[in-house]
Amino acid sequence: MRQHRTPRLLGTLLLVAAAGISVVGAAPAAADRTVTPLGQVVPAPASVDASGSPYRITGGTRIRVDDSREARRIGSYLAEVLRPSTGYRLPVTDDSGRDGIRLQLTRKDAALGEEGYRLKSGKGAVTITARGPAGLFHGVQTLRQLLPAAVEKDSAQPGPWLVAGGTITDTPRYGYRGAMLDVSRHFFTVDQVKRYIDQLALYKVNKLHLHLSDDQGWRIAIDSWPRLATYGGSTQVGGGPGGYYTKAQYKDIVKYATSRYLEVVPEIDMPGHTNAALASYAELNCDGVAPPLYTGTEVGFSSLCVDKPVTYDFVDDVIRELAALTPGEYLHIGGDEAHSTSHEDYVAFMDKVQPIVAKYGKTVVGWHQLTGATPAKGALAQYWGLDSTSAAEKEQVAAAARNGTGLILSPADRVYLDMKYTKDTPLGLDWAGYVEVQRSYDWDPGNYLPGAPGSSVQGVEAPLWTETVSTSAHIDYMAFPRLPGVAELGWSPASTHDWDAYKVRLAAQGPRWDALGIGYYRSPQVPWPAE
Ligand code: NGO
């Protein structure tokens, strides 16, 4: 019935093509919603050339994949997204052909890198080409967003299923585009973590940092120190039952993340934030006395005993076992808020622990306080300061960056997903201030930290601390709609950065979250479409 509008739609698309990406965000009139303008995607694509006729998925459409395991797997993933809502069969086949949805892996276009892709859409086919499977997967996420929001529903919907004509060529700005989930303050099950992974994948996030230990709970089984999990993991903030991942469960998370092209970055926070470990083993305490388990939300009161040799046996065992479970490059050793460790001890501790990480083949990541010690060669420092952080502290981090330490930017008053949006937000903390959607998006990682070379910035990460967050509904509400903005800062070229255009693209995501069952904060800063 909406078909008769096609000529007008084409006119709109041609206008978009003529004006380039800057008008891609123009709000679609309600009646035009059948074709999402090419480029009305989050994160904004690097380059958009909107032209030609749209592609239409029909009952006869096939998903044609290269004869490779990865392309076939990504084709099946796409089919699983599209089948319930379209009601079509959408067979995945490696029969070559020029029609249908085509997923192609080819090493030809070096400029696409390992994560980039090209999406070409026209009358007979939509073709996604990439050099690596991650690129193909990211291209599939773009295709999802080009289809009507109803495509995300799990029951048959009317369609039509049109993809605007033209070409998107897209590569990421940064290689590190992360999200952190604190599973220590409140424990989250494997299924809850998988749900978050699926949400992150929608926005091309490629690192899942798991904060696996803190004062309130130790969440990963370590065979050589079993009480860490069985006792240290037995509670959480507020005194609930807590929990921990067995090795098999952790591997399952890693495998699921890998299938969505996310690398897991595990964190064991030390020397502070260690009450759960200190409570589990008396010998880790300088006085040999185990403190009680802790279920409050204070920080900075615990420390491993820097002088005791057993401390380094413990650290070696934990890092060895965790590294063996983790295929990714990084291992995060925390290092924040070691207020109960003297500066001298902190430096000595980091000098001993960083080589252990290297010994087990991993690259050190630490919160930016690590720059107050001597960061190992190749280490990354994760900056979590604020606008109001002292110039001296910022300069300490910038000096390390000039000296070769890479930076991950997580400014707390911009991208901490646990900060309240406003004073009325029911969940969250406010120590870094209120963080509304515009504040979260409207900054440039490339020139954020004074004195730090742009080339030191490896990317951005949105941490979600969970002192006040204990369910998937809570995660949804704190992450959406801020998380996609952080993902865009990590992916899109700085030239696309424009709040007024972004807020319109973001608004178009609202109906997708509704369709996916993601409950989000309806920020008044965003022009959500009327329901
Ligand atoms: C700080 C602190 C965490 C808190 C969080 C709450 C860092 C790196 N250490 O961030 O322990 O949970 O704030 O926002």
Side-chain angles (χ1 to χ4, degrees):
M1 200 208 105
R2 284 175 177 160
Q3 289 286 56
H4 70 275
R5 307 204 78 87
T6 302
R8 200 178 124 212
L9 279 174
L10 276 182
T12 311
L13 290 171
L14 290 173
L15 270 179
V16 167
I21 194 164
S22 59
V23 298
V24 156
D32 287 353
R33 277 199 206 127
T34 34
V35 179
T36 301
L38 208 65
Q40 185 165 292
V41 173
V42 177
S47 142
V48 177
D49 171 14
S51 57
S53 336
Y55 171 69
R56 180 169 184 173
I57 301 177
T58 68
T61 298
R62 290 158 165 245
I63 300 180
R64 296 185 187 279
V65 298
D66 277 350
D67 185 15
S68 75
R69 206 167 50 89
E70 299 273 24
R72 189 184 294 275
R73 215 181 45 72
I74 295 167
S76 304
Y77 166 94
L78 175 62
E80 278 164 32
V81 172
L82 302 181
R83 280 178 191 144
S85 52
T86 61
Y88 302 151
R89 257 176 15 95
L90 301 173
V92 180
T93 171
D94 58 19
D95 288 352
S96 54
R98 305 204 60 79
D99 64 305
I101 301 174
R102 302 160 77 218
L103 305 183
Q104 302 184 332
L105 279 173
T106 142
R107 302 300 294 170
K108 260 190 260 158
D109 194 344
L112 292 179
E114 286 309 304
E115 288 200 292
Y117 66 92
R118 177 169 294 115
L119 181 150
K120 263 190 191 185
S121 165
K123 207 164 167 15
V126 55
T127 306
I128 305 174
T129 324
R131 276 169 68 83
L136 210 51
F137 185 78
H138 296 322
V140 160
Q141 302 308 326
T142 296
L143 177 61
R144 280 171 84 166
Q145 289 192 29
L146 293 174
L147 289 162
V151 80
E152 302 295 348
K153 295 199 175 166
D154 56 12
S155 59
Q157 305 294 315
W161 308 106
L162 295 167
V163 179
T167 304
I168 291 177
T169 309
D170 205 8
T171 51
R173 180 178 185 188
Y174 294 113
Y176 194 112
R177 305 181 306 279
M180 187 208 80
L181 184 63
D182 168 10
V183 295
S184 178
R185 270 49 177 275
H186 279 97
F187 181 64
F188 294 87
T189 63
V190 171
D191 283 346
Q192 288 174 311
V193 176
K194 287 181 178 174
R195 175 184 161 91
Y196 199 42
I197 289 172
D198 279 331
Q199 294 174 356
L200 300 174
L202 288 171
Y203 297 100
K204 304 182 173 71
V205 170
N206 69 351
K207 304 281 184 267
L208 173 67
H209 168 184
L210 288 175
H211 185 76
L212 290 169
S213 71
D214 212 302
D215 293 319
Q216 297 86 348
W218 186 284
R219 306 300 180 202
I220 177 76
I222 299 293
D223 297 336
S224 47
W225 297 76
R227 270 174 63 82
L228 290 170
T230 55
Y231 181 71
S234 66
T235 192
Q236 59 186 359
V237 166
Y244 64 90
Y245 306 121
T246 63
K247 288 192 168 179
Q249 287 175 325
Y250 178 84
K251 282 191 197 161
D252 186 26
I253 292 174
V254 168
K255 191 170 161 217
Y256 196 81
T258 307
S259 76
R260 269 80 178 136
Y261 299 92
L262 279 95
E263 175 179 337
V264 171
V265 180
E267 177 185 357
I268 299 295
D269 203 345
M270 50 191 145
H273 290 277
T274 43
N275 189 76
L278 297 167
S280 304
Y281 288 98
E283 64 263 43
L284 294 177
N285 297 270
C286 286
D287 62 4
V289 179
L293 292 170
Y294 182 70
T295 61
T297 59
E298 294 299 313
V299 295
F301 60 87
S302 55
S303 179
L304 292 173
C305 188
V306 173
D307 290 338
K308 276 191 166 178
V310 67
T311 297
Y312 304 96
D313 297 340
F314 162 80
V315 171
D316 193 292
D317 287 337
V318 168
I319 291 181
R320 174 173 46 76
E321 292 194 30
L322 189 56
L325 292 173
T326 306
E329 178 182 355
Y330 301 107
L331 204 144
H332 201 306
I333 54 171
D336 56 323
E337 297 174 319
H339 306 320
S340 303
T341 319
S342 70
H343 174 69
E344 201 190 0
D345 276 359
Y346 182 85
V347 173
F349 179 83
M350 288 303 179
D351 281 349
K352 284 193 172 166
V353 166
Q354 293 181 94
I356 300 176
V357 175
K359 177 168 97 178
Y360 294 114
K362 301 296 173 190
T363 299
V364 168
V365 187
W367 297 104
H368 75 256
Q369 282 71 22
L370 178 64
T371 61
T374 314
K377 198 162 179 288
L380 302 183
Q382 183 168 9
Y383 181 75
W384 60 285
L386 327 166
D387 283 359
S388 61
T389 293
S390 73
E393 188 171 340
K394 287 177 180 158
E395 174 50 24
Q396 175 189 295
V397 180
R402 291 194 296 273
N403 223 355
T405 299
L407 300 181
I408 301 166
L409 298 178
S410 301
D413 54 351
R414 300 280 181 179
V415 303
Y416 263 34
L417 299 177
D418 57 313
M419 288 303 124
K420 287 173 179 280
Y421 294 95
T422 71
K423 68 176 180 21
D424 299 320
T425 309
L427 303 168
L429 306 177
D430 61 7
W431 67 264
Y434 303 126
V435 183
E436 250 289 6
V437 181
Q438 181 171 4
R439 182 164 178 82
S440 189
Y441 166 83
D442 228 351
W443 59 285
D444 179 9
N447 61 21
Y448 176 74
L449 195 68
S455 59
S456 65
V457 178
Q458 305 303 300
V460 291
E461 183 177 295
L464 178 49
W465 301 96
T466 59
E467 285 92 336
T468 67
V469 170
S470 59
T471 66
S472 284
H474 292 167
I475 295 179
D476 289 3
Y477 184 79
M478 298 311 276
F480 291 89
R482 289 181 291 201
L483 171 80
V486 186
E488 172 147 327
L489 290 174
W491 180 279
S492 306
S495 59
T496 63
H497 191 95
D498 175 6
W499 165 252
D500 287 325
Y502 172 69
K503 71 180 179 192
V504 177
R505 281 185 290 111
L506 183 62
Q509 300 295 304
R512 287 172 194 281
W513 302 335
D514 290 333
L516 287 163
I518 299 174
Y520 58 98
Y521 164 63
R522 288 183 70 89
S523 166
Q525 297 183 332
V526 180
W528 308 108
E531 279 168 25

